[in-house]
Structures are given as C-alpha cells and as structure tokens.
Amino acid sequence: MRFALRRLAFFALTLWAALTLNFLLPRLMPGNPAVAMIAKFKGGVSPQALKALEIQFGVETHKSLVSQYGSYIVNMATGRFGTSLSQYPASVGHIVLNAIPWTLGLVGITTILAFILGTSIGILSAWRRGGALDSIMPPTFVITSVIPYFWLGLVLILVFGVQLKWLPYFFSYDYTLTPSFSAAFIGNVLQHAILPAATLLITTIGTWILTMRNTMITTLAEDYVRMARAKGLPNRRIMLDYAARNAILPNLTGFAMSLGFVLGGAILIEYVFNYQGVGYWLLAAVNNEDFPLMQALFLLITLAVLVAILISDIATAILDPRTRDAG
Amino acid sequence: MAMIRPLSTAATPGEAGTGLGAPESRLPAHSRYVAVRALQRMVTAIRSNRKATWGFGLLVFFCLVSAFPGLIARDEPNAMAYPTALGPSAHHLLGTTGLGQDMFAQVIWGARPVLLIAFGAGIAATGIAVLIGVGAAYLGGFWDGGLNLLTDVLLVIPLFPLLIIIAGYLHSAGTLVMIFVITVTGWSYTARQLRAQALSLRNRDFLEAARVRGERRLYIVVVEIIPTMTSLIVASFLTNALYAVLFSTSLQFIGLGDPTIVSWGTMLRSAENNEAFQTGQALWIIAPGLCIVALGAAFALLNYAFDEIGNPALRPLRRKRVKQSG
C-alpha cells in the first residue's frame, strides 16, 4: 500500500513537472515566441480568441506570473486547451480526439506485434546458442536498431511505393473513399498501414530480440535450469516453462512502458507517411506555430507515458514481491 | 531509435577489483590501476572483438573525414554551380542534387556538424550524468533523494517530443543550440546507471581506507570513485553520443535545425522538399541516410562489444576447432 502511494505521488509530481515545463518554456525562450505567433495570426482569428491567446501565453497582460500560472493550471485540469490556430476554428480537443485512434491503431498494434515476434526470436536464439541464427543476429540487430525511423520510411517509400508501385504511402486511406465500416474501406486502411507498420517493426524489433536473448542467456545458466535438464525434462518444457518464463519478467516491464510511448513513439513515421495521428499533428502544430495544439499534444503524450509507468510499476509489484521495497 | 533506450549497459560492479596488493601509500594507486586496466581492456577489445574493431574503425574514419573534408571533396558543398540532378560520374562521384550542388561534397562536409553534436552532446551529457549520478550516490541522504527524483522525473518525460517543442520555440537550432538542448534533456538515463554503480561501490574497502586516511569527500569522488567507473563512463558516452546523432539528424530532417548548415539531416530535408523520389534521385536520400546509420552503428557496435566484455556470458560461442593433423 505504501508502495502504491509512493508511486502515485511520483506520478503527480511528474505530471506537475510536465505541466510547468509547458507553461514556462514559451516564456523562457529568447524573443518570446508567443508574441510572434499572435502577430502572425492577427486578423485570421476572432478578437475573443486572440484575447484568450494573450492570456494563455502571458502576452500584454498585467497579471503576475503567479496568477497566470494559476489560471493555466485550472484550464488544463478542466480540459480547456483552447482553439487551434492553424485549424481555426476547430478546438484543440477536437483535433486531438480525432488523431488518437489512428496512432493507437497503427503504432499500438505494431508495438504488440514487435514485442511478441522479437521475444520469440530472442528465446529461440538464446536456446540455440552458437547456431547460425544466434551468430548473425546480434550484429544485425545492433545495426537495425540505429536506423532512423524516418529514413527507413523514406527508403521503403522509394522501393515499394515509387519504384514498384505495390503499396500506397500517403495518408491513412484513399481520399476518394468515405470512412465507413465496409470491408472495402477497412481493406484500404490496412493497405495504407503496411509500409508505416513495417518501418516501425523493423526498427524496434531488434531491441526486443537482443534484450530477451541476453536475459535468457543469463537465466539458462541458473542452477534450476541445470536441475531440469538433469531430471531429463523435455527441451521444449525447459525452454518455455523454466527459462523463458522467468527471463521474460524484466521484458514485460519494458513492454508496459513501451505501450505508454505508443502515442509519441512514431512521430517521424507519421510525418513521413502523412499519417494523420498524434505525431503528425504535433509536427504540423510546431511548423505552423500553433502553440495551443502543440502544448496539448505534448501533455497528452506525457500523460500516456506516466499512466503506463504507474500501471507497470504496480503490476510488477504484484507479480514480483521483491521489488516492493526497492522503489 | 526507440524512445526507450535500448542496448542498456548494465552496471558492472565487478570492475572495482579486490584492492589486493594496493600499496599502502597515500597515492590512489588502486583507482589509477583500475582505470588503466579498464582502458587497456578496451584497447584489447578493439583489437580482438570483431564488433569493436568495426565500430572503432568506422568512428576513426568519420572523425578523419570531418577533420579534413576539404582534402577529400574539392567542391564547395553549398555552391549551386552545376546542372541539377546529374547522375554519378567521375566529376561528381554521387552526382548532383536537385539544386545543382555536388552531392559528394555535401555528404563529406555534412559529417562535421553531426560529429560535433555527437561528441559535444555526448561528452556534456555524460559529464552531467557523472556529476549528478555519482554525486547523489556518494552524498546520500537528502542530496541523493533530491537528485534522484530530478533524474527520475526527467527520465519519464518523453524525450523526443520535448526536444521537438523546445526546438519549435527556438526556430532553426544551430550546432551549439542543438548540443545544448540535447544535453539538457538527455543526461538522465546514463545518470541513473552511474548512480547504481556508484552505490554499489560505496561500501568497498578501498573507499573505507580513504575515509580512514581522512581524505576529503571531493578527493574521494574524483580520485577514487570516478576512475573505478571508467568503463561505465565510456559506455555512457557511447549511448549519449548515439542518441545525439539520431535526435539531431531527426530534428534537422523535420526542419527544426539551421537550414544553412550542410549536414546529413538537412540534406535529407532538402531531398524530401525537392521531391527526390518523384524525380528519380534515390542517391540524394540513400547516401546521407547510410552515413547516419554507419555512424550510429559505430557507437552502438562499440557499446555492444564493451557490454560483452563486462558480461562474458554474452560473448559469441566459438566452436572448438579440431585440428585435423599435426
């Protein structure tokens, strides 16, 4: 119980830190970027929206920093993120809510796939130590894990999109179709997801393989595994029920955390493929100096990570009692 | 380039040695000995471990290229002096860009800012990590609590989105600004590893001996603890440098870097802006990207090889060769 409370306190503290960063960053930057933004959008948005912006970013108000901070916190807590400037008059909340499902679908499913595939390959590679698979894999995946997402995306577009013309690489479905739950539309969405998902899978799977392989190797050297071999248990059982079962524990924590990073984890892939998820909108907001949208998306991405960490901490504490005192 | 940092170098507390045979002078012979040993082991690794040899070779290659780009490429990288979109030829080894620049010159000159950022941010972030990680572990109590909390908070705030919004407020970040931003946001992961190892050292005999001798705290930290952690500090540098390469080129690609600097990231940016695909200029995208991957691989291979040294279980198995005859 004390453990859970401590983790909750940490959660609250980090959330507060992220909120405060969001508040302070535009005010600390040289040349006050908010002034430039407001000047840029003057005339394009209604006077009330402009006034709200000035208050939000502390431009031309006589309020003290402390009272600005107070009203900022209240606004964030009640979900009043303001109006988007680049997509005026759409509200920030509206854009964010439309973006979330696309990212969750694309990045979420790919992350789960990468974990399952990578962990299985890691188990096999550690089990067949010194085999062909095991000797080529570590160097290969050390290299795939340093490929920048965006560059691999560009190369896949070049090969499969432009040269071979096999797969679409722009947006998440054909502009000509209207979204519906028909087979044709869903098929089209899946087709558009293949290249971005492959990019993400190739660049992330190496980490799962290598960490699983390395913990599995350490576990295989344990006495209880030797005991199982001495008892003459079938190999499959030793591999899966004895070694992998324990070796996977630290990886599960990593997996829970990576689910939290889903929302902000594929920003560049969404950018390269013009896939209209959270990351795409974050970059669009940055490039258009749409600070209200940018702040809301950053908070959302951070919040997702914090919730995932909280859940994974508590789950680990339940699964593995030894960790309860450590945190 | 996962958001969660992979290839973690686990703290290897075995490094401290036993302290046996340390001469009983006031000189910190033990720590110096351990530090020299750690460096010697790395040199041996570079010679004998194939991954380390490759990583080191690549790194030296890129360092030389970025030190003397003028000797390798005669053309001005930014001069739009040629016909656009030429194919590779003897005059233009990689052809020209869609803007009429010599692509080979751009790739060669583009190495320098990337390496500057890698080494600058790598060294600075590792310095902060040592300061905060070791400081927290050694001071303990209130300081440890505070510094550790700061590390943990920064560790869970998503790094790349944070970098994007900072760079977004700044408009076109040059090399120095890039180093600064990546350093300030990126030190926490390695600080945590360094703290863990420093904690495991805290009750070692050789530190106890230094305390009994009446050494000052600063002396103990700088002369006794830090040399003992040499191999983890090197690993931290490699991790931080790798992330600096990936993050800075990504920021340049999305247009948050200084567009006037010739760098691999800005090359990719202008390739995408000038529709290099549609006009069939695949090299414009492939060449700078392969350079990023090669430089990143250099840091990652070295790190992985040093990891294998710290944890012998991970080393590749060698089949015992049976000699056929005499």
Side-chain angles (χ1 to χ4, degrees):
Chain A
M1 198 58 219
R2 261 197 66 203
F3 173 82
L5 279 180
R6 214 162 44 206
R7 297 318 297 170
L8 263 178
F10 178 71
F11 173 86
L13 179 82
T14 322
L15 186 61
W16 169 79
L19 276 167
T20 309
L21 259 181
N22 234 352
F23 174 80
L24 283 180
L25 275 177
R27 290 171 170 79
L28 284 177
M29 289 296 162
N32 200 342
V35 176
M37 169 192 74
I38 288 170
K40 181 179 164 189
F41 288 102
K42 217 162 210 162
V45 301
S46 71
Q48 292 105 301
L50 211 60
K51 191 83 210 128
L53 267 183
E54 287 179 350
I55 293 169
Q56 193 173 347
F57 288 94
V59 181
E60 285 180 37
T61 59
H62 304 293
K63 285 187 183 171
S64 69
L65 208 60
V66 179
S67 78
Q68 285 178 35
Y69 184 60
S71 52
Y72 162 78
I73 295 280
V74 170
N75 276 342
M76 293 294 127
T78 50
R80 269 178 289 175
F81 297 113
T83 319
S84 163
L85 294 167
S86 55
Q87 303 294 313
Y88 189 77
S91 77
V92 166
H94 177 77
I95 297 174
V96 171
L97 286 181
N98 277 332
I100 290 176
W102 290 107
T103 301
L104 277 187
L106 176 70
V107 188
I109 293 172
T110 315
T111 305
I112 295 171
L113 258 178
F115 174 73
I116 294 174
L117 271 176
T119 307
S120 323
I121 298 175
I123 292 173
L124 278 178
S125 141
W127 184 252
R128 306 235 164 93
R129 197 82 168 85
L133 186 69
D134 184 52
S135 53
I136 32 167
M137 255 183 10
T140 313
F141 286 114
V142 168
I143 292 169
T144 58
S145 62
V146 302
I147 300 178
Y149 288 163
F150 68 87
W151 183 67
L152 186 65
L154 291 175
V155 171
L156 292 185
I157 291 178
L158 188 66
V159 176
F160 297 102
V162 177
Q163 299 289 334
L164 298 171
K165 296 195 169 53
W166 284 356
L167 289 164
Y169 54 89
F170 193 85
F171 208 59
S172 58
Y173 53 87
D174 258 329
Y175 277 133
T176 48
L177 299 175
T178 27
S180 64
F181 278 100
S182 65
F185 181 73
I186 291 172
N188 192 268
V189 167
L190 287 178
Q191 216 180 18
H192 278 76
I194 292 176
L195 281 184
T199 310
L200 190 58
L201 192 72
I202 294 171
T203 41
T204 52
I205 198 170
T207 314
W208 296 123
I209 295 180
L210 289 180
T211 45
M212 188 62 201
R213 169 183 176 268
N214 293 358
T215 38
M216 180 88 175
I217 284 172
T218 321
T219 317
L220 281 174
E222 298 273 349
D223 285 340
Y224 70 88
V225 175
R226 194 164 301 152
M227 179 68 190
R229 283 187 210 271
K231 281 200 294 189
L233 291 177
N235 273 341
R236 245 185 89 84
R237 208 165 148 216
I238 302 176
M239 177 171 82
L240 296 178
D241 294 350
Y242 279 69
R245 208 188 132 132
N246 283 310
I248 210 170
L249 267 177
N251 270 27
L252 275 181
T253 323
F255 177 59
M257 278 187 67
S258 76
L259 285 181
F261 283 91
V262 159
L263 280 185
I267 296 174
L268 291 174
I269 293 182
E270 291 180 3
Y271 173 75
V272 167
F273 289 95
N274 287 286
Y275 204 91
Q276 77 287 30
V278 171
Y280 171 85
W281 281 111
L282 178 68
L283 285 185
V286 170
N287 283 329
N288 293 319
E289 301 187 327
D290 185 350
F291 294 144
L293 181 59
M294 182 174 102
Q295 290 194 332
L297 288 169
F298 176 66
L299 268 190
L300 176 78
I301 291 169
T302 311
L303 192 64
V305 174
L306 294 184
V307 170
I309 289 175
L310 186 67
I311 293 173
S312 95
D313 276 346
I314 290 174
T316 321
I318 293 169
L319 289 174
D320 187 350
R322 286 170 301 178
T323 57
R324 276 175 218 166
D325 302 324
Chain B
M1 42 163 298
M3 291 295 134
I4 310 170
R5 308 191 152 187
L7 305 177
S8 66
T9 318
T12 44
E15 227 65 275
T18 53
L20 284 177
E24 294 189 7
S25 67
R26 283 178 59 89
L27 286 173
H30 163 82
S31 302
R32 213 166 41 199
Y33 169 73
V34 174
V36 170
R37 272 260 316 268
L39 291 176
Q40 275 172 350
R41 258 203 310 261
M42 282 174 204
V43 174
T44 320
I46 289 167
R47 281 203 185 134
S48 60
N49 182 313
R50 221 170 341 147
K51 292 182 200 94
T53 315
W54 269 100
F56 188 72
L58 278 170
L59 195 58
V60 169
F61 170 74
F62 281 118
C63 285
L64 287 177
V65 167
S66 63
F68 310 106
L71 294 182
I72 303 168
R74 273 160 300 146
D75 290 280
E76 269 297 307
N78 252 342
M80 302 182 195
Y82 305 101
T84 58
L86 292 178
S89 67
H91 284 287
H92 304 288
L93 288 177
L94 295 173
T96 59
T97 66
L99 302 170
Q101 301 137 319
D102 181 69
M103 206 178 319
F104 181 69
Q106 286 221 317
V107 171
I108 296 294
W109 283 89
R112 186 179 276 177
V114 184
L115 271 136
L116 276 177
I117 292 170
F119 278 89
I123 291 171
T126 308
I128 296 181
V130 169
L131 209 67
I132 291 189
V134 178
Y138 192 72
L139 295 172
F142 169 76
W143 283 102
D144 188 27
L147 291 175
N148 200 21
L149 195 62
L150 180 69
T151 312
D152 280 353
V153 167
L154 199 61
L155 197 62
V156 297
I157 291 182
L159 204 52
F160 192 56
L162 179 63
L163 270 179
I164 288 178
I165 65 166
I166 295 178
Y169 285 128
L170 281 171
H171 296 287
S172 70
T175 305
L176 268 180
V177 176
M178 202 74 103
I179 292 176
F180 177 76
V181 175
I182 292 178
T183 302
V184 169
T185 53
W187 54 268
S188 59
Y189 175 74
T190 47
R192 199 175 183 161
Q193 291 185 329
L194 289 163
R195 173 178 171 269
Q197 200 192 24
L199 270 183
S200 77
L201 288 176
R202 201 157 61 169
N203 298 322
R204 291 299 174 99
D205 287 343
F206 73 98
L207 292 183
E208 197 53 48
R211 251 169 256 144
V212 172
R213 288 203 304 270
E215 304 290 5
R216 278 175 303 138
R217 274 182 174 183
L218 188 68
Y219 176 90
I220 295 182
V221 170
V222 173
V223 183
E224 299 277 3
I225 299 185
I226 289 179
T228 318
M229 298 173 66
T230 309
S231 52
L232 189 59
I233 292 174
V234 172
S236 303
F237 163 74
L238 293 171
T239 310
N240 287 328
L242 169 61
Y243 280 92
V245 170
L246 294 177
F247 283 148
S248 64
T249 47
S250 301
L251 287 176
Q252 287 168 345
F253 172 67
I254 53 184
L256 297 174
D258 181 348
T260 60
I261 294 177
V262 178
S263 157
W264 298 332
T266 49
M267 273 185 83
L268 286 167
R269 166 99 185 146
S270 57
E272 216 226 0
N273 276 349
N274 292 289
E275 305 191 321
F277 293 135
Q278 286 78 355
T279 52
Q281 292 183 281
L283 266 181
W284 201 357
I285 285 167
I286 290 170
L290 278 183
C291 289
I292 298 172
V293 174
L295 180 61
F299 289 119
L301 284 172
L302 275 174
N303 210 355
Y304 193 81
F306 292 157
D307 228 10
E308 283 183 348
I309 301 160
N311 185 356
L314 300 181
R315 285 179 208 168
L317 293 181
R318 295 253 157 73
R319 296 245 169 82
K320 277 180 195 147
R321 287 209 191 112
V322 185
K323 283 199 172 172
Q324 298 295 331
S325 58

